[in-house]
Amino acid sequence: MKLVGKEHVLHRQADLVAYECDGFTLQRGKARAVVFPGETKEVSAVVRLLHRERVPFIARGAGTGLSGGATPLGGEVIISLVRMKKLLRVDLDNRTAVVQPGFVNLKLTQAISKDGYYYAPDPSSQYACTIGGNVAENAGGAHCLKYGVTTNHILGAEVVLPDGEVIRLGEDGIPDQPGYDLLGLITGSEGTLGVVTEITVRILKAPEGKQTILAYFDDVEDGSRAVSDIISAGIVPAALEMMDRTAIEGVEAANFPVGHPLDIEALLLIEVDGIEAGFQSEAEDIVDVCRKWNVREVKVAKDEQEAAAWWANRKTGFGAMGAISPDYLVQDGVIPRSRLPEVLNKIRAISQETGLRIANIFHAGDGNLHPLILFDAQKPGEKEKALQAGSRCLKACADAGGSITGEHGVGIEKKEEMRFIFTDEEIEAQTRIRSVFNPDNLLNPDKLFPQPGRCAEVKQEIKEQQGLKV
Ligand SMILES: Cc1cc2nc3c(=O)[nH]c(=O)nc-3n(C[C@H](O)[C@H](O)[C@H](O)COP(=O)(O)OP(=O)(O)OC[C@H]3O[C@@H](n4cnc5c(N)ncnc54)[C@H](O)[C@@H]3O)c2cc1C
């Protein structure tokens, strides 16, 4: 308590309840305490103490993660970064900004938009999630199709290592540094390699203009084919999102309805941006592609207000499932775009076999699926059934040559599913990298990787018998 001040520590059971999980609410655990450092020096001092006392600890931003990354498994100290929420510097000449880790994503664009700039990665949770959490998860978002995910916008970071040492990574924008890309390694490491305490990000000049297109389809497959054709025509929209019929039912029943028809099978929400002449003709080409694929109706937003309403409807889509189901599980797989119709069919089959409704809201342009599995946790066995259905959806993605996470991370939720895409050896290689930074596995233990498979264990035993250092 001395290190951060008594008022910045929570330790009573009642106060810890809010920290039992993140946005993945199906698994909960008890933290030992939550500390709220106000600066890097305090983070370092807290980490040094925990390291010395061998107490496991977890960094936490806003707790909006969807894979249990910030969830304690029992007895960890949570280091919450929410007090470190300053925008430290904006350098328009060099197009960079420096933020503390608890700075909320959306506030950056809000702070620089008056000068004609914005921060591109826009997770749908951007009104709440922190840039520190975005770095840890390598967060994506609707507009990452054209502009890239978080890792493409991070230029430097200050990191407190699991023994309390403070290091700087990246050279804040100087390209092609020699040596290993440690900044790239930290980005997406899900809080297992260090606590990020300061971040330098790239900011972009806002495009001259944009246009938003909405297309309604009677057949999911037609919508999926339109997605593939738009990209293969050489158009890279700023965003290309899809929702299916169940998802549309949810968003129209929730807080931001916009009057989508309830009897269509799929909609596409597409944004093109850039210079006027370029995006106007791209919009026309997109409308033509949608017509080729039997679109029922396709329209261009008449003004910014209409486009904003369509986006609010989409971006609140996960939460909207609460309007049509007592509980839901958000999944996050990736597939090659060309396999979209096939994988969506498999997801439909999983829904039929399990009897659970599955809504799909996703970043179609980059093949990042979000099946939302609707269930009722009060019904015996239904939560387990939902988890199994989620795992089967990820298997379908992996089998199609994709991955088990596009942006929400592995956390505790998808540890076992890592085996769908990595061999034991590949997992072991990654845990060895973790050990270089986090040798005692005190920082965010038991996240991201499954327990070693039997094959890896046997190899380790053989090496030990041979007296080899492992
Ligand atoms: C409604 C909703 C919509 C979402 N939409 C998207 C989306 O479009 N795209 C997307 O990518 N994600 C999305 N997410 C998931 C989530 O918002 C992101 O993963 C986000 O990056 C998490 O940020 P956070 O501040 O809440 O981090 P937390 O949930 O607090 O933590 C997430 C992970 O990061 C680690 N961590 C946090 N801060 C630090 C730090 N300073 N240093 C080191 N490790 C740290 C934690 O230990 C944990 O492992 C959504 C979530 C919700 C609830």
Side-chain angles (χ1 to χ4, degrees):
M1 291 200 189
K2 271 196 217 139
L3 300 176
V4 295
K6 196 162 86 187
E7 65 282 24
H8 299 129
V9 178
L10 297 177
H11 59 89
R12 286 195 210 96
Q13 284 309 311
D15 294 332
L16 298 179
V17 172
Y19 297 87
E20 284 181 2
C21 67
D22 60 8
F24 174 64
T25 55
L26 298 186
Q27 193 170 332
R28 290 165 187 269
K30 287 254 178 277
R32 180 185 291 228
V34 186
V35 293
F36 299 86
E39 55 180 347
T40 302
K41 252 197 298 185
E42 291 183 0
V43 176
S44 169
V46 169
V47 169
R48 264 182 218 286
L49 175 69
L50 295 168
H51 181 256
R52 197 184 69 215
E53 299 299 322
R54 292 285 186 260
V55 175
F57 53 98
I58 302 175
R60 184 176 170 113
T64 66
L66 288 171
S67 55
T71 298
L73 298 174
E76 297 95 330
V77 167
I78 291 179
I79 301 176
S80 168
L81 282 313
V82 292
R83 280 182 64 222
M84 294 175 63
K85 57 177 182 186
K86 289 193 196 118
L87 171 56
L88 297 172
R89 282 186 296 287
V90 175
D91 177 349
L92 295 181
D93 291 338
N94 289 303
R95 300 194 177 184
T96 62
V98 182
V99 298
Q100 289 187 314
F103 192 70
V104 168
N105 174 303
L106 184 60
K107 289 195 172 170
L108 183 51
T109 293
Q110 286 172 342
I112 57 181
S113 59
K114 61 179 185 324
D115 297 307
Y117 288 83
Y118 76 112
Y119 178 58
D122 64 334
S124 302
S125 52
Q126 68 181 144
Y127 52 86
C129 66
T130 66
I131 294 188
N134 296 166
V135 171
E137 296 289 0
N138 190 19
H143 291 79
C144 292
L145 171 61
K146 181 168 182 180
Y147 294 102
V149 295
T150 300
T151 193
N152 304 112
H153 299 271
I154 303 301
L155 302 173
E158 178 187 72
V159 179
V160 175
L161 294 176
D163 62 359
E165 188 188 340
V166 182
I167 59 166
R168 286 204 72 85
L169 300 175
E171 286 298 324
D172 295 356
I174 297 168
D176 201 14
Q177 288 294 306
Y180 295 125
D181 178 12
L182 298 182
L183 186 61
L185 185 60
I186 285 279
T187 312
S189 62
E190 302 196 19
T192 61
L193 302 183
V195 181
V196 178
T197 48
E198 192 182 289
I199 306 133
T200 304
V201 301
R202 185 195 311 281
I203 55 176
L204 300 181
K205 195 94 181 111
E208 196 177 286
K210 56 186 164 192
Q211 207 144 58
T212 310
I213 301 144
L214 187 58
Y216 297 136
F217 292 87
D218 291 308
D219 188 308
V220 180
E221 207 151 315
D222 281 341
S224 310
R225 305 255 176 239
V227 170
S228 290
D229 269 14
I230 289 167
I231 304 288
S232 56
I235 304 167
V236 185
L240 174 39
E241 303 283 295
M242 188 162 177
M243 284 197 255
D244 72 1
R245 186 180 181 134
T246 310
I248 293 164
E249 182 190 330
V251 293
E252 286 301 302
N255 296 335
F256 297 94
V258 290
H260 296 315
L262 297 178
D263 62 341
I264 51 167
E265 292 301 327
L267 71 73
L268 295 181
L269 180 60
I270 309 159
E271 190 175 289
V272 283
D273 67 3
I275 54 164
E276 187 91 15
F279 70 75
Q280 292 286 8
S281 85
E282 283 181 344
E284 284 161 21
D285 290 347
I286 287 170
V287 169
D288 287 346
V289 171
C290 292
R291 291 209 174 107
K292 175 180 151 201
W293 288 107
N294 313 313
V295 71
R296 182 197 291 190
E297 185 187 353
V298 56
K299 51 187 177 182
V300 175
K302 57 180 182 301
D303 51 31
E304 271 183 34
Q305 280 80 354
E306 189 170 43
W310 291 349
W311 275 113
N313 173 281
R314 157 62 187 92
K315 287 206 168 189
T316 52
F318 292 177
M321 294 306 113
I324 56 168
S325 174
D327 300 284
Y328 62 94
L329 169 67
V330 182
Q331 265 308 351
D332 170 40
V334 187
I335 52 164
R337 257 184 317 265
S338 57
R339 310 286 291 269
L340 206 48
E342 168 198 334
V343 175
L344 287 176
N345 278 337
K346 278 198 185 168
I347 292 174
R348 197 174 309 135
I350 294 167
S351 167
Q352 279 160 1
E353 280 161 35
T354 56
L356 297 176
R357 298 178 80 198
I358 302 182
N360 289 288
I361 299 187
F362 54 100
H363 310 309
D366 43 21
N368 184 190
L369 300 185
H370 292 313
L372 300 158
I373 298 147
L374 312 186
F375 68 102
D376 182 353
Q378 298 300 321
K379 291 192 184 155
E382 206 153 274
K383 173 177 135 182
E384 291 69 26
K385 216 199 276 184
L387 285 166
Q388 276 164 17
S391 183
R392 287 179 63 190
C393 291
L394 296 181
K395 184 81 172 65
C397 294
D399 289 347
S403 170
I404 59 159
T405 172
E407 52 185 21
H408 297 167
V410 175
I412 41 181
E413 185 206 7
K414 301 189 205 83
K415 285 194 306 180
E416 281 308 316
E417 283 74 11
M418 286 285 266
R419 296 187 202 281
F420 294 165
I421 51 170
F422 293 118
T423 62
D424 278 350
E425 288 74 13
E426 288 161 349
I427 291 171
E428 195 194 336
Q430 295 187 63
T431 55
R432 279 172 184 246
I433 292 171
R434 179 183 62 190
S435 300
V436 172
F437 288 81
N438 186 10
D440 310 302
N441 203 9
L442 286 173
L443 176 57
N444 219 357
D446 296 323
K447 302 281 172 67
L448 188 53
F449 300 110
Q451 293 300 316
R454 190 59 202 142
C455 162
E457 279 169 19
V458 170
K459 275 194 198 151
Q460 182 145 334
E461 281 161 19
I462 294 170
K463 281 185 191 163
E464 279 167 0
Q465 281 160 15
Q466 292 171 341
L468 295 176
K469 219 168 166 209
V470 287

